[in-house]
Amino acid sequence: MHELSIARSLVRVCEDAARDLGAARVTRVYLRLGPLAGVVREALEFAYDFAVDGTVLAGSELVIEPVPVIVRCDACEADVAPSNIHRLRCPECDAPTPNILSGRELLIRAIDHDDVPSAPSSPSRGAVAHPNPTP
């Protein structure tokens, strides 16, 4: 099941992004997924639950946005959705349509995250905290 390695890669990318953003935790990952990406959605969702364990993504939700297959028909000069993704032909004129415009996506679109908790507030009653106290 190569979906587990894909899920682990998604987690690594999101962990890097979370670190760059200063995020304490990723709560949601938005992914665009086309049917020609070679990924089984249900298997990816299952693998994602394992891949996030013990990471800043633990407990996060994977939101998958399906991307339709759209091809350009040179005969009709139109962008169309083929009636069968295993037979890329124009549904209007039945011409072959080898120019795939969308449907191969496997793309992290965005992540939702919680910010890193702020540093403790200054001591109350007017006391001054010194970051490097002298002995």
Side-chain angles (χ1 to χ4, degrees):
M1 174 165 90
H2 76 283
E3 282 80 359
L4 182 56
S5 63
I6 291 169
R8 286 182 176 152
S9 293
L10 291 173
V11 168
R12 279 192 301 273
V13 169
C14 291
E15 281 184 312
D16 289 345
R19 189 173 30 260
D20 292 347
L21 293 168
R25 188 171 83 87
V26 173
T27 57
R28 194 169 287 125
V29 175
Y30 298 91
L31 182 72
R32 296 188 59 168
L33 181 62
L36 300 179
V39 176
V40 177
R41 177 185 179 144
E42 294 79 11
L44 180 60
E45 291 170 332
F46 183 76
Y48 181 83
D49 289 337
F50 288 102
V52 299
D53 192 39
T55 71
V56 297
L57 284 88
S60 66
E61 178 186 4
L62 179 62
V63 179
I64 298 177
E65 174 189 346
V67 179
V69 175
I70 302 293
V71 294
R72 175 159 292 135
C73 177
D74 292 332
C76 294
E77 296 184 358
D79 298 343
V80 295
S83 56
N84 183 337
I85 64 169
H86 303 292
R87 186 173 180 265
L88 299 179
R89 299 186 74 82
C90 177
E92 301 299 319
C93 70
D94 202 38
T97 54
N99 301 321
I100 299 170
L101 303 178
S102 71
R104 294 183 279 202
E105 291 81 354
L106 176 57
L107 174 72
I108 298 169
R109 186 177 60 78
I111 64 172
D112 288 344
H113 59 87
D114 293 337
D115 292 333
V116 172
S118 59
S121 60
S122 304
S124 58
R125 290 182 250 181
V128 177
H130 295 282
N132 296 316
T134 54

